[in-house]
């Protein structure tokens, strides 16, 4: 067994690997970029080596620097985690040349499955069903367009070397094909240094089901049952579960056989995931094989009672599979939710900044939180926006779902935008609760239901009432501090101290003028034409309970100089105080559509000063946290000035160009 392992990754997966190594008595070496010097994965490992500046290509994708770090620290093996170099055969070969063990499959395994076109051909030869499409070497635009037309729209353009939902676009019509092709190529080149694509028939009403496989050096291959990853947005998984719900026994068994056949066809060693699309008739088709550990591997660990990282390490050390197929039993159900630093209401754009508050649920036998950050850490724009993975287990699928939803209500995040409320609402979708394609459960359900999911927020009125009560109570006593503390005032709340107190609040882009009046029974809060009688029940620490009529609310709150973050039943809202005396208005004079919607790097500039543009035309393209975003013209007009060029870093809210109205006077 190894005595020291270098973890060639960062974030939650590096922390995850470090924990298993610690349990196995193996010392660990972390690698870090300039912005990660104080990161949690660095603090968790026994040693740490700086490998370059913040951009991934100069640090976490730098094979030479990572290998030098392993040699310098005398690490016997390198665990790549997932993402970055985990599926790069060059790292495997470099490890072999240096006498270092790569904890993962062989370079031949990775190469065979790393090219999606080659993988499809291999799987077809092995008798695994594949979708029709084009996997040819001719990458001419018109050749690809004709192939798409022959396949039949809608089609999916996929990066040949892609993964993790990157380098994929669904195209419904021929007119949109070339623009989508350019976008996929650009993203593929940036993420995988390979802009080749393939064309695949798009199966619109399908589920995403995958089989966890493992192989050892003795030729043994087993499966650890399947996972369902149907709940996705932009082809990226959001909530995963094991086992997959609602499958016929024969379909489940056929999936397992196909997964083992796929791994056996290439004499696979280590952890791998064979991904399939499952149609309404339960016919399934091979999508790809990920030759690494998956983000969602904890749900498999939950139902099988295994540690898949430990399996990887033991197999890399030359040991046989820890269990034979007949000994791998799936019990109960597990679900995982990916908590991201992003804004669901703003096209899921990533968010960066300091985690002012980050508190999670109580963990134990039925609940697990995997994270690479802690309260006070800074989230940079250079890497994936994942904050944490929340995993729950139950004897039944419904128990796992209820536990996951409850655990989400216990997560408090302040300082950045996040998707906790969004995840909480997803778990209430009738389609998800059913888990059946016949009831509308398929990979596009989030896109179809997005508007209603985002508007389903019944706690905003209660949050406004609570903040108005806290603010009005705090204003009853003057303080010199920059930050006010509502509890100091409410604990000593005296009736009839003041008559009406007016509080002006802002939530998102809406403003509310609220009147608060003391009454013999508590307070009366008026918002427009609505009026609520309030009774304080309790306030303790960050928790506030109050009653309006017969309805009681319990909320956690975090007070700041400019507002309060309210957390209630899985919903997080930041209510801002409006300073009426200062005007508190946005007077930038620049169209907000032409400001950077997120912090990131400009990767394409399609216009110059003087160009005439049409409404909807793509003017610039930005990239941040592995996500590409187009800045489009909100109206027809003329470009007056362009402020940034390709490769430049831009902060969120910064004007990137000025566009005049098409009918403006010259």
């Amino acid at each position: 067994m190894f005595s020291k392992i270098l973890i060639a990754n960062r974030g939650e997966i590096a922390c995850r690997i470090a924990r298993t190594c610690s349990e196995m008595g193996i010392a660990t070496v972390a690698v870090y970029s300039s912005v990660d010097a104080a990161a949690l994965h660095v603090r968790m490992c026994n040693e740490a080596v700086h490998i370059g500046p913040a951009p991934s290509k100069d640090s976490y994708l730098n094979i030479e620097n990572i290998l030098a770090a392993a040699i310098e620290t005398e690490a016997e093996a390198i665990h790549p985690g997932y993402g970055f170099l985990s599926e790069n055969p060059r790292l495997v070969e470099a490890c072999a040349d240096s006498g270092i063990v790569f904890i993962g499959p062989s370079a031949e395994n990775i190469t065979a499955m790393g090219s999606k076109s080659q993988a499809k051909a291999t799987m077809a030869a092995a008798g695994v069903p594949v979708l029709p499409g084009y996997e040819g070497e001719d990458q001419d635009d018109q050749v690809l367009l004709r192939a798409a037309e022959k396949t039949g729209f809608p089609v999916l353009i996929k990066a040949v070397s892609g993964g993790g939902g990157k380098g994929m676009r669904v195209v419904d019509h021929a007119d949109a094909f070339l623009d989508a092709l350019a976008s996929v190529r650009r993203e593929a080149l940036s993420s995988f240094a390979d802009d080749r694509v393939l064309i695949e028939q798009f199966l619109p009403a399908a589920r995403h089901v995958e089989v966890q496989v493992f192989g050892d050096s003795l030729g043994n291959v087993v499966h650890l049952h399947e996972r369902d990853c149907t709940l996705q947005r932009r082809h990226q998984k959001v909530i995963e579960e094991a086992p997959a719900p609602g499958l016929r026994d024969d379909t489940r068994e056929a999936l397992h056989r196909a997964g083992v056949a796929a791994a056996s066809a290439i004499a696979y060693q280590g952890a791998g995931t064979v991904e399939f699309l499952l149609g309404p008739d339960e016919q399934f088709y091979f999508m790809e094989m990920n030759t690494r550990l998956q983000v969602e591997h904890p749900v498999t660990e939950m139902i099988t009672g295994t540690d898949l990282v430990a399996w990887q390490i033991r197999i890399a050390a030359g040991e046989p599979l820890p269990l034979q197929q007949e000994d791998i039993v799936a019990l109960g159900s597990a679900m995982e939710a990916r908590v991201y630093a992003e804004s669901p209401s703003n096209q899921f754009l990533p968010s960066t900044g300091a985690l002012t508050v980050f508190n999670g649920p109580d963990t134990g036998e039925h609940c697990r939180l995997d994270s690479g950050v802690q309260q006070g850490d800074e989230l940079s724009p250079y890497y994936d926006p994942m904050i944490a993975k929340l995993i729950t287990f139950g004897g039944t699928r419904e128990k796992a779902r209820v536990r996951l939803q409850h655990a989400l209500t216990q997560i408090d995040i302040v300082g950045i935008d996040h998707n906790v409320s969004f995840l909480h609402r997803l778990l209430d979708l009738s389609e998800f609760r059913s888990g059946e394609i016949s009831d509308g459960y398929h990979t596009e359900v989030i896109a179809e239901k997005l508007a209603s999911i985002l508007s389903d927020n019944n706690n905003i009125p209660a949050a406004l009432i609570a903040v108005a009560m806290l603010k009005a109570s705090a204003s009853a006593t003057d303080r010199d501090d920059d930050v006010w503390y509502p509890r100091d005032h409410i604990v000593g709340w005296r009736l009839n101290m003041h008559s009406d107190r007016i509080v002006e609040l802002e939530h998102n882009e809406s403003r509310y003028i609220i009147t608060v009046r003391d009454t013999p029974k508590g307070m009366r809060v008026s918002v427009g034409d609505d009026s609520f009688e309030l009774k304080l029940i309790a306030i303790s620490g960050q928790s506030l309970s109050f009653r309006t009529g017969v309805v009681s609310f319990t909320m956690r709150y975090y007070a700041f100089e400019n507002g309060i973050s309210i957390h209630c039943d899985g919903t997080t809202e930041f209510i801002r105080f409006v300073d009426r005396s200062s005007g508190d208005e946005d007077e930038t004079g620049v169209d907000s559509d032409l400001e950077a919607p997120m912090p990131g790097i400009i990767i394409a500039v399609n216009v110059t000063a003087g160009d005439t543009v049409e409404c909807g035309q793509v003017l610039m393209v930005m990239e941040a946290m592995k996500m590409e975003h187009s800045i489009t013209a909100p109206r027809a007009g003329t470009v007056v000035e362009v402020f940034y060029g390709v490769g430049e870093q831009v902060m969120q809210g910064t004007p990137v160009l000025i566009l005049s109205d098409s009918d403006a006077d010259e």
Side-chain angles (χ1 to χ4, degrees), residues 9-11 32-37 52-61 84 166 190-191 341 350-353 378-386 598-603 623-628 647-651:
N9 217 296
R10 66 177 302 280
Y32 64 93
S33 71
S34 298
V35 297
D36 275 346
S56 298
K57 63 181 179 63
D58 300 320
S59 51
Y60 297 106
L61 291 173
F84 294 129
K166 294 294 178 184
S190 171
S191 300
S351 178
T352 60
E378 190 86 15
L379 296 182
S380 79
Y382 294 100
Y383 312 117
D384 188 274
M386 183 181 288
M598 60 186 182
I601 297 172
I602 302 295
I603 60 173
E623 184 181 59
M625 288 182 158
K626 299 168 66 176
M627 174 185 171
E628 187 178 294
E648 292 190 90
Q649 182 80 30
V650 184
M651 297 306 296

Side-chain angles (χ1 to χ4, degrees), residues 270-560:
T273 303
V274 188
E275 305 198 359
F276 299 95
L277 283 176
L278 182 75
D281 56 357
E282 294 203 18
Q283 175 61 51
F284 57 85
Y285 304 91
F286 173 81
M287 287 173 55
E288 62 185 6
M289 181 177 183
N290 289 302
T291 53
R292 54 173 169 79
L293 202 63
Q294 293 278 85
V295 176
E296 58 274 17
H297 75 273
V299 295
T300 295
E301 294 181 324
M302 282 276 201
I303 66 166
T304 59
T306 56
D307 182 332
L308 299 190
V309 172
W311 277 44
Q312 287 185 297
I313 294 171
R314 294 191 181 283
I315 289 169
E319 296 182 14
L321 287 166
L323 294 174
Q324 297 302 308
Q325 189 64 72
E326 59 270 19
D327 300 319
I328 303 171
V329 179
L331 298 175
S333 183
M335 290 186 181
E336 174 182 290
R338 301 189 187 190
V339 179
Y340 282 118
E342 65 182 14
S343 176
S345 61
N346 190 20
Q347 305 176 63
F348 297 97
L349 293 182
S351 178
T352 60
L355 276 171
T356 309
V357 174
F358 179 34
N359 294 321
D362 294 331
T363 57
E365 181 182 1
H366 300 300
C367 182
R368 168 175 163 182
L369 185 71
D370 286 8
S371 181
V373 293
Q374 291 180 323
Q375 184 166 298
D377 286 351
E378 190 86 15
L379 296 182
S380 79
Y382 294 100
Y383 312 117
D384 188 274
M386 183 181 288
I387 300 171
K389 301 182 310 193
L390 182 62
I391 311 102
T392 56
F393 174 84
T396 65
R397 183 175 187 259
E398 180 62 9
K399 285 183 179 179
R401 186 194 71 83
V402 170
R403 280 179 175 150
L404 182 56
Q405 194 166 45
H406 176 67
L408 285 166
T409 68
Q410 297 177 302
I411 292 182
D412 293 343
I413 298 173
V414 181
I416 57 171
D417 293 333
H418 58 84
N419 68 336
V420 172
S421 300
F422 178 74
L423 294 170
H424 189 271
R425 295 171 209 156
L426 285 182
L427 292 171
D428 265 337
L429 277 178
S430 60
E431 292 86 353
F432 175 75
R433 296 178 75 157
S434 163
E436 300 278 359
I437 287 182
S438 58
D439 291 327
Y441 187 51
H442 52 76
T443 55
E444 299 301 304
V445 68
I446 289 181
E448 292 178 359
K449 300 282 186 176
L450 186 59
S452 61
I453 295 169
L454 294 177
S455 64
D456 181 21
N457 188 349
N458 298 320
N459 289 324
I460 290 177
L464 287 168
I465 291 167
V467 173
M469 178 182 70
L470 292 168
K471 177 63 173 170
S473 301
S475 65
T477 303
D478 294 330
R479 286 185 65 105
D480 295 328
D481 298 1
D482 288 337
V483 179
W484 58 273
Y485 299 87
R487 186 175 181 277
D488 293 353
H489 305 285
I490 293 187
V491 170
W493 190 354
R494 296 204 312 269
L495 299 179
N496 303 317
M497 281 185 61
H498 293 269
S499 54
D500 292 354
R501 275 119 50 211
I502 296 176
V503 178
E504 189 167 354
L505 304 173
E506 182 179 273
H507 174 264
N508 291 338
E509 297 180 358
S510 299
R511 291 194 176 187
Y512 304 85
I513 297 177
I514 302 173
T515 303
V516 181
R517 172 179 295 180
D518 295 326
T519 70
K521 294 183 179 180
M523 278 187 172
R524 176 165 290 279
V525 178
S526 300
V527 186
D529 295 331
D530 295 324
S531 185
F532 307 89
E533 193 73 37
L534 239 64
K535 174 68 175 177
L536 178 69
I537 300 172
I539 184 166
S540 175
Q542 304 300 137
S543 180
L544 166 72
S545 298
F546 64 94
R547 182 181 298 113
T548 61
V550 296
V551 180
S552 296
F553 293 93
T554 297
M555 299 179 171
R556 295 183 302 281
Y557 69 88
Y558 299 89
F560 301 91

Side-chain angles (χ1 to χ4, degrees), residues 251-268:
T251 301
R252 202 180 303 274
E253 292 167 3
L255 279 165
H256 296 166
R257 287 196 301 271
V260 171
S264 300
I266 58 172
Y268 192 77

